[in-house]
Amino acid sequence: MTDKYAVLGNPIAHSKSPMIHAAFAKQTNQDMQYEAILSPLDRFADTVRRLKAEGYKGLNVTVPFKFEAYHLASQHKPSAMNAEAANTLMLDGENIVADNTDGVGLVTDIQKNFAVALQGKRVLMIGAGGAAQGVAMDIAKNAPALFVVVNRSMDKVSTMQRKIELIKDDAVTRITASTFEALGGEVFDIVINATSTGLTDSVLPIPDSIFTESTLAYDMMYGRETPFMKQARAAGAQVADGLGMLVEQAAEAFYCWRGVRPDTQPVMQQLRAL
C-alpha cells in the first residue's frame, strides 16, 4: 500500500511541501503520497488523531501548530525538546514522535549551499521567537566564534541561553544577548533574520554597519524581497532567503520517515524556476 503523509497548517494552500516531497519521492523511488491539509485552529489534535487512525505515517507541521504538535507528542527527539516545538511528526504505532528539522535545514543551507562555515564566525541572529528557538541550538553546536541574539524581549533570549548552558560541551558556543542599540560598531560574518517583519514590510532597527561585503545576510522568509534583504543588499552584503532552508528541512524530515536522503539541488532549482 502507498504510504500517506501530509503537512498541516492554517493557512496551508500556499505550502510548497507537497511539490517538494513529491519530487523527493520520485527521485528516490518511494511509494508514498503527500498532501496539504487545512486543520481548524481549534481542532489540531483531533486532526492528527484522525489522520493517524486513517493510517498516515508522518506529518509536517507549520504555523500556527508547531508548539501544539510538540505537546501532543508522546515522544520527543532532542531537536524538538530544545525548541519546545515540532515541525515533523512520526506516527509510529501507538506513539506520536516529535522532531524539529528547522535547525538542520538552516545550517545545511548556509554551510552546504552557500559554502559559508559557521565555525569561527561572528553570527548575529535577530529575533528570539519560535523560528529562532527552533534553530539556535544547531547554530551553537557548530562553534561560531561569537553568537549574538538581539530581540526586543530579553526574557526570550534568556530562555535560549539557559537551554544552551545545560549542554556541558565546550564546543557549543554560548549565546550573547544584545539590545538593538548595542549593535552600533559591531560587524558580523553572518546575520540571520528570524523575525516575521518581512510579512509586514517592517524595517528592523539595525545599523548598516553590521554588514560588510563578506557578510552573508540570511532571511528565514522566502518568496519576497524583505526590508532586511534590501538593507543588507544596499550595504554590499551577500543576501539569501529561506527557500533553501525550506527544502533542506524537508529533506531531513523525509530522511526521518523514509531512511533515504534525497538530492536537494534539483528541487531547489525547480522551485527557483517557478
Side-chain angles (χ1 to χ4, degrees):
M1 293 178 60
T2 300
D3 291 334
K4 295 185 291 185
Y5 298 86
V7 57
L8 299 184
N10 189 326
I12 199 61
H14 67 286
S15 176
K16 291 180 170 59
S17 293
M19 181 188 306
I20 293 169
H21 284 278
F24 287 165
K26 182 178 180 180
Q27 179 191 119
T28 57
N29 297 312
Q30 297 294 301
D31 186 11
M32 58 178 284
Q33 67 179 47
Y34 186 106
E35 61 192 304
I37 295 177
L38 179 70
S39 173
L41 291 174
D42 58 348
R43 300 292 298 276
F44 174 76
D46 290 342
T47 303
V48 172
R49 294 188 183 103
R50 173 177 63 81
L51 295 174
K52 188 172 182 292
E54 292 175 3
Y56 282 71
K57 299 291 186 181
L59 302 170
N60 282 135
V61 180
T62 187
V63 291
F65 299 124
K66 290 184 180 183
F67 295 108
E68 194 170 348
Y70 173 81
H71 292 292
L72 178 65
S74 53
Q75 295 181 15
H76 304 85
K77 295 292 183 71
S79 292
M81 293 178 68
N82 291 331
E84 296 184 6
N87 72 342
T88 302
L89 297 177
M90 287 150 279
L91 309 182
D92 181 19
E94 295 300 314
N95 294 316
I96 299 175
V97 183
D99 203 349
N100 194 312
T101 64
D102 283 335
V104 172
L106 172 69
V107 169
T108 301
D109 193 32
I110 290 173
Q111 297 198 135
K112 185 181 81 171
N113 300 326
F114 289 98
V116 177
L118 286 161
Q119 185 174 2
K121 299 296 176 60
R122 293 172 58 87
V123 178
L124 170 66
M125 182 162 67
I126 306 166
Q133 298 278 349
V135 302
M137 187 66 69
D138 288 273
I139 294 171
K141 286 180 176 178
N142 278 273
L146 178 68
F147 183 16
V148 177
V149 176
V150 59
N151 192 62
R152 288 187 174 88
S153 168
M154 287 294 106
D155 290 344
K156 291 182 177 180
V157 182
S158 297
T159 298
M160 296 167 70
Q161 288 176 313
R162 285 194 297 270
K163 290 178 184 176
I164 290 175
E165 286 166 1
L166 290 173
I167 298 179
K168 306 304 180 183
D169 185 345
D170 291 339
V172 176
T173 303
R174 308 304 167 185
I175 287 175
T176 300
S178 176
T179 62
F180 284 99
E181 292 76 18
L183 292 178
E186 298 289 339
V187 176
F188 296 92
D189 302 299
I190 302 168
V191 181
I192 301 166
N193 180 23
T195 74
S196 59
T197 52
L199 290 172
T200 56
D201 286 332
S202 301
V203 176
L204 289 162
I206 53 176
D208 294 344
S209 57
I210 64 173
F211 303 107
T212 71
E213 291 183 358
S214 60
T215 300
L216 174 64
Y218 191 104
D219 200 313
M220 288 171 62
M221 287 195 62
Y222 64 91
R224 65 171 65 196
E225 178 86 350
T226 66
F228 167 79
M229 294 169 69
K230 291 176 183 176
Q231 180 181 2
R233 200 183 305 281
Q238 179 186 3
V239 175
D241 69 4
L243 184 66
M245 175 183 171
L246 174 71
V247 176
E248 295 293 352
Q249 66 80 23
E252 187 68 17
F254 190 88
Y255 175 75
C256 293
W257 295 329
R258 309 301 295 181
V260 293
R261 289 196 180 278
D263 182 2
T264 56
Q265 290 300 316
V267 180
M268 278 188 274
Q269 291 170 7
Q270 178 183 355
L271 290 174
R272 293 286 183 202
L274 295 175

